[in-house]
Amino acid sequence: MMDRILTNKWSVRIISLIFAAILFTSVTSTSTNVTNVTDGVYVDVINNVPVEVYYDKDNMNVAGVPDTVDVTISGPKGLVQLAKTQPNIIAYIDLTNAKAGTQSVKIKVKGLSDRLKATVNPPTTKVTLAEKVTKKYSVDVELNKSVIADGYQAGTPKTDPKKVSITASKEILDQIAYVKATVSDEKDQKSDFTTKATISAFDANLNKLDVEIDPGEVEVAVSVSKIGKTVPLRFQQSGNPADKTVTITSITSDDEKVTVIAPESVTDTIEQITIPIDVTQTTADKTIEVSVPVPTGATSVTPTSVKVKITTGKKQSDQSSNGANEGTGQPKEESPNVTTPDTETGNETDEDKEDDQTDTEDTTKQSSTEFKDIAISIIGLVNSDSFSTAFLNPASGKVNITISGLKTEVDALGRNDFNVVANMSNLQDGTHTIPLAVHGLASKFTFTLSQSKAEIQVTKKVADASDPVLN
């Protein structure tokens, strides 16, 4: 049957015609983006055509113009495809003779062949034409965190000029909440520096506003000062080994110094940091890691912890020890960076032993004390002069703290020996819940706060604007 069909010339012609029709349909249907063909008229869409607007740019400001529109074109296939591949089409709004105010205007097109028809989507838009107003604004400088090196702080940046002129419609000018010069190109500065920064204007939600700023760039001078001080570490032996045959010969660390981050008024009073080392459970040489306490009034220390090597020895009999000392005529050698507990020699009476036992009980007794209404200090807020802060919870900005430790050491604590702080680094205006920390309290103490977090509202001070000048 198939052989008879293929040998018949009319069958072959019909099959060829069918294949030709299928091929023609396939080619025409895959023409680029051609969406419709009616009576030889081809239709296609050119997306994202930029919109130009013509108006008195020297004296007027316009808002509400869309960035782009879609244009549907129709006409002969060749011209449609040419318009797609070589887009000369321009969408525009003509406001040269328009009056100030809000109005609906038609979006027109040009640059097409007269034989093509164009339809714009959307065909119209609502725009606002307003007279330009110029105001002068003070400039706030914003420094990225990476600009200043660790252990250093920036003073109040100064700009030249101090104010810039911003031109826009009154409606847009009323939206300006911040005028900022952001410094980000500089890195790890340790000394005073001067750089240039571009000016931008923002609304209350930090949306950038489309305005004219003159000058668009200012010179920023920043003073940089060191806020840290390097001081030596000293290790103080706490207690004696429980094993009476073990002695402590030295307590040392490869980290002999630390840097204290604090204002100069605080670092001037710090000459060294003493860390107590508990050796009561020491039976042989060992290395331990201990935290470095943050001095009162300081923000932090670097490093925050150090490794300490405890070297031990074995006690000789009293007779041998005395003989050795007498034979050499030299006192027992002690490590220069370790302070050992005072000891007394001589015969002890029963009364002395009772007193020693009472003293031992007092020094090992645990105790707690509560300090009430400790004010929370806010640290880390960049450009703090540009913000105001208010405590929402606790409303008083104060908390209670209970500190526990050895009774003799807890009893010696005062309100000035520690600070409760809320670190607001890298935060902007808004309401923030900040974890509370305690600075300056030695690591040998434990503490409990009446609340572990504070809710703080940060408000940006309104930009200072001078009287408007009409163009």
Side-chain angles (χ1 to χ4, degrees), residues 53-73:
V53 57
Y54 308 129
Y55 67 103
D56 183 1
K57 296 182 179 180
D58 292 333
N59 300 301
M60 306 297 286
N61 185 79
V62 66
V65 177
D67 293 329
T68 62
V69 293
D70 296 334
V71 180
T72 301
I73 55 176

Side-chain angles (χ1 to χ4, degrees), residues 5 26 38 46 130 143 160 182 217 300 319 321 359 432 453 468:
I5 294 175
S26 175
T38 304
I46 303 178
L143 301 177
D160 184 21
T182 302
E217 193 177 68
S300 62
Q319 183 176 358
S321 298
D359 292 340
H432 306 281
K453 297 179 180 180

Side-chain angles (χ1 to χ4, degrees), residues 440-471:
L441 188 65
S443 58
K444 58 188 174 183
F445 297 106
T446 60
F447 64 88
T448 303
L449 293 169
S450 57
Q451 61 183 78
S452 61
K453 297 179 180 180
E455 189 175 2
I456 304 173
Q457 185 176 39
V458 181
T459 305
K460 180 71 170 65
K461 296 176 181 177
V462 178
D464 177 27
S466 63
D467 293 335
V469 178
L470 298 180
N471 286 346

Side-chain angles (χ1 to χ4, degrees), residues 5 22 81 205 230-231 239 251 258 263 285 297 342 345 366 371 405:
I5 294 175
I22 293 173
Q81 292 180 335
N205 296 319
T230 301
V231 297
I251 301 178
V258 295
D285 295 356
D342 294 335
T345 60
Q366 296 289 315
F371 296 90

